Amino acid sequence: MTHALIALSAVVAAYLLGSIPFAVVSSRLFGLADPRSYGSKNPGATNVLRSGHKGAAAVTLLGDLLKGCLAIILARHFGADYGFAEGLVALVALAVFFGHLYPVFLKFKGGKGVATAAGVLLALDPWLGLAVLATWLFIVFTLRYSSLAALVAAATAPMFAFFFWGSDVLLLAVGIIAMALIGKHWQNLQRLMAGTEPKIGAKKTAAGSVRGVARGSGRGAAS
């Protein structure tokens, strides 16, 4: 197998890994409604949390984060055996991230990519990942806006990357990921500017109502 084919296989595998919808998987495991049917209809951890089931939200968050980490770790480990440079790692980073945003398993309608991006950044450089994560946590705990935290963290990620690495091919990948994250949160930004964006915990969907949808769906399928 040629190096080019191996590189292409790594990128495709990263995309498929990124496409795994942990929000949907965890919701099914815990007997909840499909996260695309309530709240923001976004298949991500924040929306799963609106079901009232913290366990399902935690599984979603961890799964989305780990798939980002795993793609980079595997690319670096196996890529070294074939002499691949950081350029391949950058492509894998983009592939797993955009796999989450546009997953083949959900007809290319995925989540907003915050957790997966965090996993990618942590695997690329733990200090970079921690710096961005600290920025996100600071905004979340002080202002209570998950979307604003994501926007600020995305905007600062390339700046942190430049500080840690200087000019680097991976910096370009981080910049693209940051722009995509901001683009995915554009509607949130508009609501923030209009003062209509809900804060974390301000509006909760009753856990019973979401579980009721799931039970209703189950009865409908059985009948």
Side-chain angles (χ1 to χ4, degrees):
M1 186 179 293
T2 66
H3 282 201
L5 187 54
I6 293 173
L8 178 61
S9 299
V11 172
V12 172
Y15 169 77
L16 293 175
L17 176 62
S19 291
I20 299 174
F22 280 99
V24 176
V25 172
S26 66
S27 294
R28 289 180 180 175
L29 286 175
F30 288 97
L32 304 175
D34 191 313
R36 295 169 293 173
S37 67
Y38 61 85
S40 66
K41 302 186 186 303
N42 176 60
T46 300
N47 197 40
V48 173
L49 186 60
R50 292 187 174 98
S51 71
H53 201 301
K54 294 180 180 179
V59 170
T60 301
L61 179 65
L62 185 62
D64 286 344
L65 188 145
L66 288 179
K67 68 185 181 184
C69 283
L70 184 61
I72 302 302
I73 292 171
L74 292 177
R76 279 187 164 156
H77 177 74
F78 292 105
D81 295 336
Y82 294 96
F84 289 122
E86 291 289 76
L88 175 62
V89 177
L91 289 175
V92 166
L94 292 173
V96 69
F97 174 72
F98 280 99
H100 179 82
L101 263 58
Y102 306 104
V104 65
F105 305 125
L106 296 182
K107 298 180 180 180
F108 307 104
K109 296 179 181 179
K112 295 183 177 179
V114 175
T116 301
V120 167
L121 296 180
L122 283 167
L124 287 176
D125 186 330
W127 288 113
L128 170 63
L130 288 173
V132 175
L133 182 60
T135 302
W136 184 85
L137 288 172
F138 176 77
I139 301 298
V140 163
F141 284 106
T142 56
L143 300 180
R144 307 294 295 173
Y145 286 110
S146 177
S147 57
L148 180 60
L151 286 163
V152 174
T156 58
M159 292 186 282
F160 284 127
F162 182 77
F163 175 78
F164 288 121
W165 305 333
S167 181
D168 188 278
V169 65
L170 291 175
L171 175 61
L172 177 61
V174 172
I176 292 173
I177 289 173
M179 288 188 291
L181 280 170
I182 293 171
K184 273 288 188 175
H185 286 80
W186 184 251
Q187 291 183 337
N188 300 91
L189 179 59
Q190 291 178 316
R191 288 194 293 269
L192 284 165
M193 295 175 67
T196 58
E197 179 77 349
K199 291 187 176 183
I200 295 173
K203 294 181 180 180
K204 296 182 179 180
T205 300
S209 65
V210 174
R211 292 193 181 97
V213 172
R215 288 195 295 269
S217 300
R219 287 194 296 269
S223 60

